[in-house]
């Protein structure tokens, strides 16, 4: 079974700082990768996704992620965070079986101080 | 469009009681999912359905049952609630296809407390 690891459980940054959240997955075959964001009290929203093509993908709100196949990684980046980016971020990979379920990492809680 | 709606928003339930969490989507997606979210564990799949009339078990199915009578609705039933089922429950859907990305769309969640 696939697994997803997010190494940073809690991150605290000041506004305008750069952000990089790590994500590693275990599956060696074709992957569909996602970053979801959950703002306080809200449901999950898709930030960006990758399944083929350019390994550098751009999402909403200035976020981007780079798929590095050799490192089994899909790290999320943002050059300059804002207070409104305070949220929990989840990396996920599709399990390529009959369910096509999402395997989620445990999440990273980001607090951006104004 | 509303996307995915879930009801109730929150609920306090006595242990041993039964409850059905409702999920309805208006996107005509074939596949639907139920996840539970617990602190430090991310989201874990309870049950799924690839199309109306079919269901499958996820990672943590014990104590839960689902049905899929039509495309739009995917209710989750707790037959006899236990405190360990205290969680936030998210319903999700995905358009069926043979190629990716297999993106899922999430509902607003139901916060359930079993006392």
């Amino acid at each position: 079974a696939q697994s997803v690891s997010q190494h940073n459980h809690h991150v605290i940054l000041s506004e305008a700082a750069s952000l990089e959240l790590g994500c590693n997955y275990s599956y060696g075959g074709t992957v569909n990768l996602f970053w979801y964001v959950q703002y306080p009290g809200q449901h999950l929203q898709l930030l960006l996704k990758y399944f083929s093509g350019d390994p550098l993908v751009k999402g909403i709100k200035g976020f981007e992620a780079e798929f590095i196949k050799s490192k089994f990684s899909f790290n999320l980046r943002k050059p300059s965070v804002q207070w409104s980016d305070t949220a929990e971020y989840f990396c996920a990979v599709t399990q390529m079986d009959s369910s096509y379920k999402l395997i989620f990492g445990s999440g990273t809680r980001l607090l951006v101080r104004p | 469009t509303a996307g995915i709606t879930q009801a109730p928003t929150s609920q306090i339930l006595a242990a041993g009681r039964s409850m059905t969490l409702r999920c309805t989507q208006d996107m005509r997606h074939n596949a639907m999912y139920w996840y539970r979210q617990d602190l430090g564990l991310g989201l874990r799949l309870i049950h799924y359905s690839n199309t109306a009339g079919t269901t499958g078990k996820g990672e943590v199915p014990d104590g839960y049952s689902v049905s899929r009578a039509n495309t739009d609705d995917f209710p989750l039933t707790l037959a006899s609630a236990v405190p360990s089922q205290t969680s936030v429950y998210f319903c999700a859907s995905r358009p069926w296809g043979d190629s990716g990305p297999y993106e899922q769309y999430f509902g607003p969640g139901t916060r359930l407390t079993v006392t």
Side-chain angles (χ1 to χ4, degrees):
Chain A
Q2 298 185 51
S3 64
V4 176
S5 297
Q6 291 182 242
H7 311 297
N8 314 102
H9 299 293
H10 292 89
V11 173
I12 301 174
L13 295 173
S14 298
E15 277 196 314
S18 64
L19 171 72
E20 181 161 3
L21 301 182
C23 172
N24 288 91
Y25 60 93
S26 63
Y27 185 64
T30 301
V31 288
N32 284 202
L33 294 159
F34 307 88
W35 276 97
Y36 282 87
V37 61
Q38 186 177 31
Y39 297 103
Q42 297 188 25
H43 62 288
L44 277 79
Q45 302 172 42
L46 183 69
L47 268 181
L48 46 79
K49 59 190 175 187
Y50 170 83
F51 79 111
S52 69
D54 189 342
L56 183 63
V57 292
K58 295 190 182 299
I60 60 171
K61 304 186 180 185
F63 286 91
E64 65 179 30
E66 185 175 13
F67 169 56
I68 304 180
K69 188 174 182 179
S70 61
K71 295 185 178 180
F72 296 88
S73 71
F74 190 55
N75 292 354
L76 181 71
R77 300 194 291 251
K78 186 172 184 179
S80 176
V81 295
Q82 300 172 319
W83 174 80
S84 58
D85 292 324
T86 293
E88 189 159 18
Y89 293 81
F90 293 94
C91 181
V93 62
T94 301
Q95 175 119 339
M96 295 299 190
D97 61 14
S98 60
S99 73
Y100 293 101
K101 71 180 181 183
L102 290 176
I103 305 293
F104 284 89
S106 56
T108 297
R109 291 197 168 196
L110 172 66
L111 172 63
V112 180
R113 292 180 170 157
Chain B
T1 60
I4 297 178
T5 57
Q6 292 185 237
T9 303
S10 65
Q11 182 75 44
I12 299 174
L13 186 68
R17 301 295 294 270
S18 66
M19 180 176 183
T20 295
L21 280 61
R22 299 186 297 280
C23 173
T24 300
Q25 53 107 356
D26 63 2
M27 298 177 283
R28 308 301 295 171
H29 288 171
N30 283 324
M32 297 186 75
Y33 303 82
W34 274 105
Y35 294 88
R36 58 178 289 173
Q37 182 183 25
D38 301 291
L39 191 63
L41 297 176
L43 281 79
R44 294 177 292 167
L45 183 68
I46 305 170
H47 285 288
Y48 68 96
S49 169
N50 284 333
T51 189
T54 70
T55 62
K57 293 183 178 180
E59 302 170 67
V60 288
D62 295 343
Y64 305 95
S65 63
V66 292
S67 61
R68 189 85 184 278
N70 57 60
T71 297
D72 299 340
D73 301 300
F74 191 42
L76 176 73
T77 297
L78 288 69
S80 180
V82 295
S84 61
Q85 292 177 310
T86 294
S87 187
V88 181
Y89 292 85
F90 288 99
C91 180
S93 71
R94 177 180 63 77
W96 184 253
D98 294 329
S99 62
Y102 299 98
E103 173 184 343
Q104 293 184 18
Y105 299 80
F106 286 82
T110 293
R111 183 175 295 275
L112 178 66
T113 302
V114 181
T115 61

